[in-house]
Amino acid sequence: MSNTETKPRTKVRTKTERPRLHKVILVNDDFTPREFVVTVLKAEFRMTEDQAHKVMITAHRLGVCVVAVFTKDVAETKATRATDAGRAKGYPLLFTTEPEE
Ligand code: TYC
């Protein structure tokens, strides 16, 4: 009988990788009122009036603005909820997500 059998060994990982974060991106449009965008940013992303206004005006001027980063699930849920808040009022307001590099 052989005594040389070895137990399967799980690979030792010295480093624990963090889950990749995902950006929530606010997209500009020509129809959603500025004040409504600010209201949604405050409600869904817990921003102050000042922070929300800066993000809104950046998207308005440049076309898009990164709102915040979260884990994939949280980013997608927040982007969907914020987009739905606009849709409920008939606005084409859009929040998208993308993985961070
Ligand atoms: N451009 C819109 C307006 O002039 C305001 C706006 C800003 C809409 C940012 C969407 O992501 C947005 N009423």
Side-chain angles (χ1 to χ4, degrees):
M1 201 172 66
S2 170
N3 251 344
T4 59
E5 207 174 302
T6 51
K7 279 192 204 151
R9 207 167 162 277
T10 48
K11 208 172 163 192
V12 177
R13 258 172 78 164
T14 46
K15 243 182 163 178
T16 307
E17 283 170 26
R18 282 183 235 268
R20 255 176 122 188
L21 294 176
H22 288 242
K23 299 181 271 196
V24 173
I25 297 159
L26 170 64
V27 182
N28 185 40
D29 67 73
D30 291 337
F31 304 100
T32 310
R34 293 179 183 204
E35 204 38 58
F36 183 76
V37 180
V38 170
T39 301
V40 171
L41 287 169
K42 282 161 68 180
E44 192 58 44
F45 299 95
R46 298 165 160 273
M47 290 183 166
T48 64
E49 178 80 23
D50 234 50
Q51 293 170 325
H53 191 267
K54 277 182 183 143
V55 168
M56 180 280 295
I57 212 70
T58 301
H60 175 75
R61 287 178 181 152
L62 303 180
V64 289
C65 182
V66 175
V67 178
V69 294
F70 303 99
T71 55
K72 186 172 193 283
D73 267 20
V74 175
E76 284 172 355
T77 301
K78 284 184 180 287
T80 301
R81 283 173 50 106
T83 298
D84 286 349
R87 183 174 304 172
K89 296 266 185 189
Y91 299 133
L93 182 63
L94 179 62
F95 290 81
T96 62
T97 65
E98 66 174 62
E100 263 198 333
E101 296 74 40

